[in-house]
Amino acid sequence: MQETLGRLFAVWGRMSRIDNPAGYAQTILVRTFLTHRRRRSADERPLGELPDRPVTTDGDPALRLALLAALARLPPKDRAVVVLRYWEDRSVEETAEAMRVSSAAVRTRSVRALAKLREQLGGSLAELAAL
């Protein structure tokens, strides 16, 4: 609503040339709402538990080697996103700034990179983590 009022204020001097000011205001309101809904962050919902938990690899060299080998098989940009986001524990915005890409690109690339890692490691990660 606030953005709609701001946009109406910006064209207030030309309002006499607009045939239907109420319809114009409604159009601005609907388009602003749809733009907000299209943003990826608008539909993010907090979860009760996180789907991925950090795994400490300090005491288990086999697990560390398996993870490093899987990371080496990822494309360079996917590897950079995974390392920055999960190894160095940076935020999406910090990762986007470091890689000079948008936050949406970081989120998309991290989802795809994690899927590739899961596919590569399969059940071997669970076996290594259980040891």
Side-chain angles (χ1 to χ4, degrees):
M1 185 68 182
Q2 183 69 33
E3 190 167 336
T4 301
L5 290 174
R7 289 184 185 195
L8 281 174
F9 179 76
V11 297
W12 193 256
R14 296 179 289 166
M15 212 43 138
S16 62
R17 290 183 269 165
I18 298 174
D19 293 332
N20 185 359
Y24 183 74
Q26 184 176 2
T27 301
I28 293 174
L29 182 65
V30 168
R31 288 182 180 169
T32 303
F33 172 75
L34 292 175
T35 299
H36 175 72
R37 293 292 296 168
R38 284 186 192 117
R39 290 187 188 136
R40 189 169 266 245
S41 62
D43 61 308
E44 291 179 356
R45 302 285 183 248
L47 299 175
E49 67 180 59
L50 296 175
D52 292 324
R53 287 180 221 79
V55 177
T56 58
T57 60
D58 298 334
D60 190 0
L63 179 58
R64 184 177 181 86
L65 289 174
L67 287 173
L68 289 174
L71 279 172
R73 289 190 297 266
L74 288 177
K77 289 184 180 181
D78 288 350
R79 183 172 46 246
V81 165
V82 170
V83 168
L84 290 172
R85 282 280 294 130
Y86 302 103
W87 203 286
E88 293 184 4
D89 198 29
R90 293 189 185 191
S91 70
V92 172
E93 291 77 21
E94 291 171 338
T95 303
E97 185 177 321
M99 293 183 66
R100 295 188 178 118
V101 296
S102 68
S103 297
V106 169
R107 286 190 296 268
T108 301
R109 191 169 289 277
S110 65
V111 167
R112 291 178 183 164
L114 288 176
K116 289 177 188 175
L117 278 176
R118 286 186 191 103
E119 181 181 305
Q120 288 178 13
L121 292 171
S124 66
L125 184 63
E127 293 168 6
L128 288 171
L131 293 177

